């Protein structure tokens, strides 16, 4: 019924086409943030498969696709008609390799389980994965009737680093092959800007606060009463600290490049949870009036002494290049608990403790801070000589060559 309702909602904008898709060796699964794959896919011939209802613009109604869809639907039984349609398209495109940037896509997992014996499936990690904690917490608290973490299935995983290998194995998440490559988004920034992130930075800000994009309805999602207030408490502490210690800070908004509605929801989180003077300070020292620019946060990260957030991936990226990245998390539940202990982690405390910890971090050089970590590359691999872009391209080429040899032997 939900599928039918969604179809009715989008049917007016769909173009119905009879032309069959071209056959390609590479298929990109899901078009969300597709631009982040542009350097990886350079010179590769591929088919882009839109898998989300809201982004689909055309529906192929060629009899061959319709018949294949119905065959898969009735044969597999456990899938819905939309999944059957996507599988029919994949079967006709006949790719050797399927790549997704949506490494937490339940639809990708579902289809990979069905076709992984015939096609090489790859997922590229695009963010710190707290999904397992979130799904389990939601299941235990009754928000969901199912623990969706049990649906994860990745044949080949281009992950951030060794931590993912340990964490996924510990949580018994099914991954056949881990390939640690680091952050593709950070690699894109370095390649696109032709910048050396390891050289000494021109510091413009004392503290960069990377917004996690919480909104006023996040309490329900977090399933622990009062968490929004506790998240906001750390922001209040940061503002107080900067005023008392005359520190220059900048808030980087997560939804700046998103829709106006998403940006407004993010800003309203601060408006609802800060007092008038705090909110005014936030607006004055945020990126709200900045032009939309996808690498804005990275630019600010390299110009800041310390980068803080609750759980943003930017913390791990900054640590990986030898910067000062700190997770500040005052929440009671452990959904977004930062996976590394020590100087890079501040949990719920009073203001005097908070101030003392930040003062200690400010007193350190980047190298001294890094030396206090167990391993700066444990959470995220970083190789200036062999970027995530290069590593992913090398693996794709390797699999395409293997498949070509298999075809020649037939």
């Amino acid at each position: 019924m939900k599928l039918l309702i969604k179809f009715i909602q989008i049917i007016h904008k769909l173009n119905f086409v009879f032309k069959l898709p071209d056959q390609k060796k590479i298929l990109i699964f899901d078009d969300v943030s597709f631009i982040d794959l542009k350097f990886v896919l350079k010179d590769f011939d591929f088919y882009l498969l839109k898998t989300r209802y809201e982004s689909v613009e055309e529906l192929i109604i060629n009899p061959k696709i319709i018949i294949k869809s119905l065959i898969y639907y009735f044969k597999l039984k456990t899938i819905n008609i939309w999944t059957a349609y996507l599988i029919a398209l994949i079967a006709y495109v006949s790719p050797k390799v399927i790549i997704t940037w949506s490494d937490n896509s339940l639809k990708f997992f579902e289809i990979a389980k069905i076709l992984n014996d015939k096609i090489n499936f790859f997922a590229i990690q695009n963010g710190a994965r707290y999904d397992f904690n979130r799904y389990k917490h939601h299941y235990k608290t009754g928000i969901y009737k199912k623990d969706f973490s049990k649906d994860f299935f990745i044949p080949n995983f281009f992950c951030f680093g060794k931590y993912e290998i340990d964490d996924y194995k510990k949580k018994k998440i099914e991954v056949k092959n881990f390939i640690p490559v680091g952050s593709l988004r950070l690699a894109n920034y370095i390649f696109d800007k032709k910048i050396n992130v390891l050289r000494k930075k021109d510091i413009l800000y004392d503290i960069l606060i990377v917004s996690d994009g919480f909104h006023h309805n996040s309490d329900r999602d977090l399933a622990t009463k009062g968490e929004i207030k506790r998240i906001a408490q750390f922001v209040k502490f940061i503002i107080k600290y900067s005023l008392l210690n005359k520190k220059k800070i900048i808030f980087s908004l997560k939804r700046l490049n998103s829709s106006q509605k998403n940006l407004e929801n993010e800003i309203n989180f601060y408006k609802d949870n800060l007092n008038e003077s705090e909110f005014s300070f936030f607006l004055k020292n945020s990126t709200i009036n900045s032009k939309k620019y996808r690498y804005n946060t990275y630019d600010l990260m390299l110009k800041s002494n310390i980068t803080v957030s609750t759980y943003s991936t930017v913390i791990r990226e900054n640590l990986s290049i030898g910067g000062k990245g700190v997770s500040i998390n005052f929440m009671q539940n452990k959904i977004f608990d930062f996976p590394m202990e020590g100087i890079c982690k501040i949990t719920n405390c009073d203001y005097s403790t908070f101030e003392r910890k930040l003062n200690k971090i400010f007193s350190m050089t980047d190298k001294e801070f890094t030396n206090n970590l167990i391993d700066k590359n444990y959470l995220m691999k970083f190789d200036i000589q062999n970027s995530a872009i290069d590593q992913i391209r090398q693996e794709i080429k390797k699999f395409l060559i293997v498949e070509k040899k298999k075809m020649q032997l037939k």
Side-chain angles (χ1 to χ4, degrees), residues 267-319:
I267 292 172
N268 284 337
F269 159 75
Y270 294 97
K271 185 177 182 180
D272 294 343
N273 292 284
L274 301 178
N275 63 37
E276 188 174 340
S277 62
E278 289 168 340
F279 182 63
S280 177
F281 180 88
F282 158 77
L283 290 178
K284 183 179 178 181
N285 295 278
S286 76
T287 56
I288 190 169
N289 294 316
S290 302
K291 292 182 179 179
K292 289 190 175 184
Y293 169 54
R294 63 187 303 99
Y295 298 133
N296 189 47
T297 300
Y298 289 135
D299 277 348
L300 294 173
M301 178 183 77
L302 295 181
K303 295 174 182 176
S304 302
N305 190 320
I306 302 173
T307 296
V308 305
S309 179
T310 295
Y311 68 89
S312 172
T313 304
V314 177
I315 299 299
R316 304 184 190 198
E317 290 169 323
N318 200 26
L319 291 175

Side-chain angles (χ1 to χ4, degrees), residues 205-208 304-308 318 324-326 358 361-362:
Y205 303 97
D206 295 299
I207 306 174
L208 163 65
S304 302
N305 190 320
I306 302 173
T307 296
V308 305
N318 200 26
K324 297 180 189 175
V326 183
L358 271 189
I361 295 170
F362 269 112

Side-chain angles (χ1 to χ4, degrees), residues 99-116:
I99 307 168
T100 189
W101 178 237
S102 304
D103 63 300
N104 58 347
S105 166
L106 296 176
K107 188 63 67 179
F108 176 82
F109 305 146
E110 181 184 18
I111 293 178
K113 287 178 182 178
I114 296 169
L115 300 177
N116 81 95

Side-chain angles (χ1 to χ4, degrees), residues 341-356:
E341 300 297 326
I343 195 72
C344 60
K345 181 177 181 178
I346 300 176
T347 53
N348 194 18
C349 58
D350 58 27
Y351 176 75
S352 61
T353 303
F354 178 82
E355 183 176 42
R356 187 170 64 253

Side-chain angles (χ1 to χ4, degrees), residues 16-62:
F16 294 92
V17 298
F18 289 88
K19 186 178 181 296
L20 288 166
D22 295 329
Q23 293 188 335
K24 305 286 185 179
K25 292 181 180 180
I26 298 175
L27 181 142
I28 305 304
F29 189 98
D30 196 359
D31 66 314
V32 172
S33 296
F34 172 66
I35 191 172
D36 288 306
L37 296 175
K38 66 177 182 178
F39 298 130
V40 164
L41 296 173
K42 185 180 179 181
D43 302 326
F44 283 132
D45 195 18
F46 60 88
Y47 179 83
L48 177 61
L49 179 65
K50 296 184 177 182
T51 63
R52 308 190 191 200
Y53 310 116
E54 61 270 21
S55 63
V56 172
E57 297 169 343
E58 64 177 35
L59 201 67
I60 298 176
I61 55 174
N62 186 284

Side-chain angles (χ1 to χ4, degrees), residues 190-253:
I190 294 170
F191 183 82
D192 197 26
K193 297 285 289 185
K194 303 293 187 293
I195 192 168
N196 183 356
V197 295
L198 299 181
R199 74 179 182 197
K200 186 175 178 61
K201 304 181 287 288
D202 296 323
I203 302 299
L204 296 180
Y205 303 97
D206 295 299
I207 306 174
L208 163 65
I209 302 95
V210 182
S211 175
D212 292 291
F214 289 110
H215 51 83
H216 62 283
N217 289 325
S218 291
D219 247 356
R220 180 189 179 280
D221 296 334
L222 295 169
T224 308
K225 190 175 180 180
E227 292 292 34
I228 289 300
K229 293 293 183 183
R230 284 184 279 275
I231 294 165
Q233 186 61 49
F234 120 67
V235 179
K236 287 173 172 285
F237 278 9
I238 283 283
I239 293 173
K240 181 178 180 180
Y241 179 86
S242 66
L243 291 172
L244 290 177
N245 295 277
K246 297 181 180 180
K247 299 294 186 183
K248 188 174 182 181
I249 71 174
I250 182 74
F251 289 86
S252 179
L253 293 167

